[in-house]
């Protein structure tokens, strides 16, 4: 199923603990601020894949490090 989700590249999103899954079948136990690189709109098991850069606390160049993928609830 394709999700109607439009997240522009470069926008920052605050992912809440329990609402995103950085590792298979292991929900995150912490919040994370990320700069979105891409959102894959194909839903799988109620989640979509998000590719983004983690924003370190107090780092002025937020989200310039390596990108990683995580599953995120689109709701």
């Amino acid at each position: 199923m394709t999700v109607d989700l439009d997240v522009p590249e470069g926008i920052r999103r605050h992912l809440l603990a329990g609402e995103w899954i950085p590792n298979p079948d292991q929900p995150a136990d912490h919040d994370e601020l990320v700069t979105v690189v891409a959102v894959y709109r194909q839903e799988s098991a109620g989640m979509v894949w998000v590719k983004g850069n983690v924003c370190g606390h107090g780092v002025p160049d937020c989200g310039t490090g390596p990108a990683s993928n995580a599953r995120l609830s689109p709701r």
Side-chain angles (χ1 to χ4, degrees):
M1 170 184 188
T2 300
V3 178
D4 185 20
L5 184 67
D6 184 25
V7 181
E9 181 179 341
I11 197 162
R12 292 184 183 160
R13 288 288 181 234
H14 188 205
L15 307 180
L16 301 175
E19 293 184 346
W20 63 288
I21 302 175
N23 300 308
D25 303 319
Q26 183 181 356
D29 61 357
H30 62 281
D31 296 354
E32 196 72 79
L33 181 65
V34 300
T35 300
V36 174
V37 174
V39 174
Y40 306 95
R41 296 174 22 163
Q42 188 64 37
E43 184 177 350
S44 172
M47 307 290 273
V48 293
W49 282 101
V50 175
K51 184 173 192 155
N53 303 93
V54 174
C55 299
H57 297 287
V59 178
D61 57 346
C62 175
T64 58
S68 61
N69 292 312
R71 290 189 300 161
L72 172 67
S73 172
R75 292 164 185 75

